[in-house]
């Protein structure tokens, strides 16, 4: 669709900002609706995989984001007590290095938000703040106060896993959102340095009921100090008990499992420094409707075990923007987006759900299988490349 098109984007996360920037560069009028007083980043660090980096390539922003991020080439996990290696993924096994040498990038959400938001402003994207959008019938946005505005040619919901718009569409399609038993506590901390590997996501497990991780995540745009993201598996239902037990008891448990992480814990003074993330699983069978497209976590959410969330959303944005540019009618473009994304989304939704119980679950059987069977299989020559491709997000690559 090469003619003018008024587009409302709901949500100013990385997915929404990337899409807004692409559409503005196509000459469309784009208005981003954000529920906060000012658009701002939410969350800690994450991994930009080769798929997500390719979207930044298309936007010409990879170098700017990479300057704030931390290059990563390794995902490493071991069992706490016997220190047995149970996860060892190296991006070099992909055998397809990028011209810039990047395999993956640890980045703080503030960094990618800053780069994308500034680029959107420079392209004339309009932002409307303090607007919590709960419905979008016939291209008209209805906010939480019940006020409905004028119609847009297209509404794109990028407002995340708790989206009211996506929930209504899911119910119409007969789908269900399943709340997962496990979540995590997250914190942004100063980069601890040795003995941690600046080029790796490192994890330690005790069974599947305890998981600790340290992810290098670069720097914020306003401060050169290097950062890391620390996370700890936690059941949301058990969070009140965790609070009641106190920080010192929890820190003692963490140190017992991973002594080297003690320096990280020193920068977490109280429970307020940790954010509880709750995870749910749903997949829209058709992420489009009349004048509506749903992308990112709003269209497909799951546990973050494979680290695909932001990357999948960026892929959605790229495919939707290309479909709008190359198809004659809006309906054709929306159906092309849904068709091209279908199998990649379903594959990674299934893989995430399948892998999660081996790393976040009660019981002893699945972690035993992980440590004694899967860990050994992963060290076979053919398995290393498959694991690297899986973590990179390039299986059934929709960009082709």
């Amino acid at each position: 669709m090469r003619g003018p098109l008024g587009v409302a984007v709901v949500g100013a996360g990385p997915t929404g900002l990337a899409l807004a920037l692409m559409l503005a560069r196509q000459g469309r009028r784009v208005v981003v609706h954000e529920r906060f007083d000012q658009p701002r980043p939410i969350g800690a660090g994450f991994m930009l995989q080769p798929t997500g980096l390719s979207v930044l390539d298309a936007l010409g922003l990879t170098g700017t984001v990479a300057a704030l991020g931390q290059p990563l080439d390794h995902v490493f996990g071991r069992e706490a007590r016997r220190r047995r290696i149970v996860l060892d993924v190296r991006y070099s096994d992909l055998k397809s290095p990028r011209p810039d040498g990047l395999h993956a990038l640890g980045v703080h959400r503030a960094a990618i938000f800053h780069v994308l938001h500034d680029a959107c402003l420079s392209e004339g994207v309009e932002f409307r703040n303090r607007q919590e959008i709960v419905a979008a019938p016939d291209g008209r946005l209805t906010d939480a106060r019940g006020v409905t505005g004028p119609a847009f040619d297209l509404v794109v919901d990028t407002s995340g896993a708790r989206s009211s718009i996506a929930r209504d569409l899911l119910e119409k399609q007969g789908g269900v959102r399943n709340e997962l038993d496990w979540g995590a506590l997250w914190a942004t901390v100063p980069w601890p340095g040795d003995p941690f590997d600046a080029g790796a996501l490192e994890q330690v497990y005790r069974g599947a009921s305890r998981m600790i991780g340290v992810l290098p995540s670069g720097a914020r745009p306003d401060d050169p100090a290097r950062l890391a993201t620390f996370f700890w598996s936690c059941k949301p239902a058990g969070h009140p008990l965790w609070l009641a037990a106190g920080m010192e008891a929890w820190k003692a448990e963490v140190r017992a499992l991973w002594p080297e992480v003690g320096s990280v814990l020193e920068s977490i003074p109280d429970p307020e420094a940790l954010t509880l993330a709750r995870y749910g699983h749903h997949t829209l069978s058709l992420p489009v409707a009349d004048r509506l497209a749903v992308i990112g976590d709003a269209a497909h959410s799951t546990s973050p075990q494979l680290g695909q969330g932001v990357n999948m959303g960026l892929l959605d944005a790229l495919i939707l923007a290309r479909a709008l540019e190359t198809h004659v009618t809006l309906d054709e473009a929306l159906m092309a987006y849904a068709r091209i994304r279908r199998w990649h989304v379903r594959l990674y939704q299934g893989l995430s759900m399948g892998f999660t119980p081996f790393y976040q679950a009660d019981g002893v059987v699945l972690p035993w299988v992980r440590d004694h069977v899967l860990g050994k299989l992963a060290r076979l020559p053919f398995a290393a490349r498959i694991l690297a491709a899986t973590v990179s997000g390039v299986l059934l690559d929709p960009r082709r």
Side-chain angles (χ1 to χ4, degrees):
M1 297 185 64
R2 297 176 185 176
L5 189 71
V7 182
V9 175
V10 181
T15 297
L17 292 176
L19 177 68
L21 180 58
M22 294 177 201
L23 298 185
R25 288 178 176 177
Q26 292 175 3
R28 308 181 196 280
R29 174 178 174 258
V30 184
V31 183
V32 177
H33 295 74
E34 175 54 53
R35 63 189 177 96
F36 295 113
D37 291 344
Q38 293 292 331
R40 58 185 175 87
I42 300 296
F46 61 92
M47 291 179 70
L48 275 174
Q49 304 288 359
T51 48
L53 287 170
S54 72
V55 179
L56 294 184
D57 292 345
L59 292 169
L61 298 176
T62 302
T64 308
V65 175
L68 295 168
Q70 175 60 45
L72 303 174
D73 55 21
H74 195 191
V75 179
F76 177 81
R78 64 171 177 81
E79 193 269 336
R81 290 176 178 170
R82 298 185 180 180
R83 305 180 75 86
R84 179 189 295 112
I85 297 173
V86 298
L87 180 67
D88 191 358
V89 180
R90 297 181 182 274
Y91 287 90
S92 57
D93 289 323
L94 285 173
K95 310 297 184 185
S96 55
R98 291 167 51 89
D100 56 14
L102 284 176
H103 293 296
L105 191 71
V107 61
H108 195 279
R109 287 179 186 269
I112 193 168
F113 172 85
H114 170 78
V115 173
L116 288 171
H117 185 253
D118 281 1
C120 282
L121 291 176
S122 70
E123 294 290 346
V125 173
E126 181 182 347
F127 287 85
R128 294 182 184 172
N129 306 323
R130 298 185 295 276
Q131 292 198 348
E132 182 177 359
I133 305 302
V134 298
D138 304 319
R140 299 177 183 273
L141 300 180
T142 300
D143 65 21
R145 300 168 297 173
V147 177
T148 299
F152 286 85
D153 298 311
L154 174 65
V155 175
V156 184
D157 179 18
T158 76
S159 58
R162 308 287 169 177
S163 163
S164 298
I165 298 171
R167 181 196 61 211
D168 292 344
L169 187 56
L170 184 69
E171 290 175 353
K172 290 178 182 177
Q173 295 175 355
V176 177
R177 175 183 168 86
N178 297 310
E179 298 296 333
L180 302 180
D181 291 338
W182 288 86
L185 290 165
W186 297 78
T188 296
V189 298
W191 172 245
D194 291 337
F196 295 92
D197 183 351
L201 163 60
E202 297 185 60
Q203 298 175 332
V204 167
Y205 322 106
R206 192 194 75 188
S209 63
R210 297 290 185 270
M211 178 170 65
I212 315 164
V214 176
L215 169 68
S217 49
R220 294 186 178 94
D222 56 351
D223 188 343
R226 309 306 284 181
L227 303 170
T229 296
F230 169 87
F231 56 91
W232 164 265
S233 280
C234 177
K235 284 186 174 182
H239 188 238
L241 293 176
W242 178 85
L243 289 171
M247 291 290 287
E248 291 310 312
W250 171 68
K251 288 184 178 182
E253 180 182 5
V254 176
R255 290 190 189 97
L257 297 173
W258 194 356
E260 295 85 352
V261 87
S263 60
V264 175
L265 297 177
E266 292 174 5
S267 59
I268 305 176
D270 50 52
E272 286 69 32
L274 290 151
T275 300
L276 176 64
R278 294 177 169 87
Y279 305 132
H281 180 89
H282 76 263
T283 306
L284 290 171
S285 58
L286 189 64
V288 297
D290 182 35
R291 298 197 199 183
L292 174 66
V294 185
I295 68 177
D297 284 349
H300 41 75
S301 71
T302 189
S303 77
Q305 196 59 53
L306 287 178
Q308 297 298 319
V310 171
N311 299 281
M312 296 285 277
L314 290 173
L315 278 178
D316 290 346
L318 179 68
I319 300 303
L320 177 59
R322 287 180 174 175
L324 290 170
E325 188 174 35
T326 57
H327 287 78
V328 176
T329 70
L330 177 59
D331 287 343
E332 289 174 347
L334 294 181
M335 292 308 296
Y337 153 67
R339 182 181 66 253
I340 294 169
R341 290 297 289 129
R342 179 176 295 119
W343 294 113
H344 185 256
V345 166
R346 280 157 178 72
L347 172 64
Y348 276 92
Q349 291 293 87
L351 288 173
S352 295
M353 287 297 289
F355 272 108
T356 294
F358 291 95
Y359 294 91
Q360 288 185 302
D362 297 309
V364 297
V365 175
L366 291 180
W368 186 93
V369 172
R370 176 197 68 199
D371 297 349
H372 293 83
V373 179
L374 297 181
K376 293 178 180 178
L377 289 176
R379 289 191 284 274
L380 296 175
F382 70 89
R385 189 168 185 178
I386 293 173
L387 268 176
T390 301
V391 171
S392 299
V394 299
L395 298 179
L396 294 183
D397 193 341
R399 296 170 298 171
R400 299 177 183 175

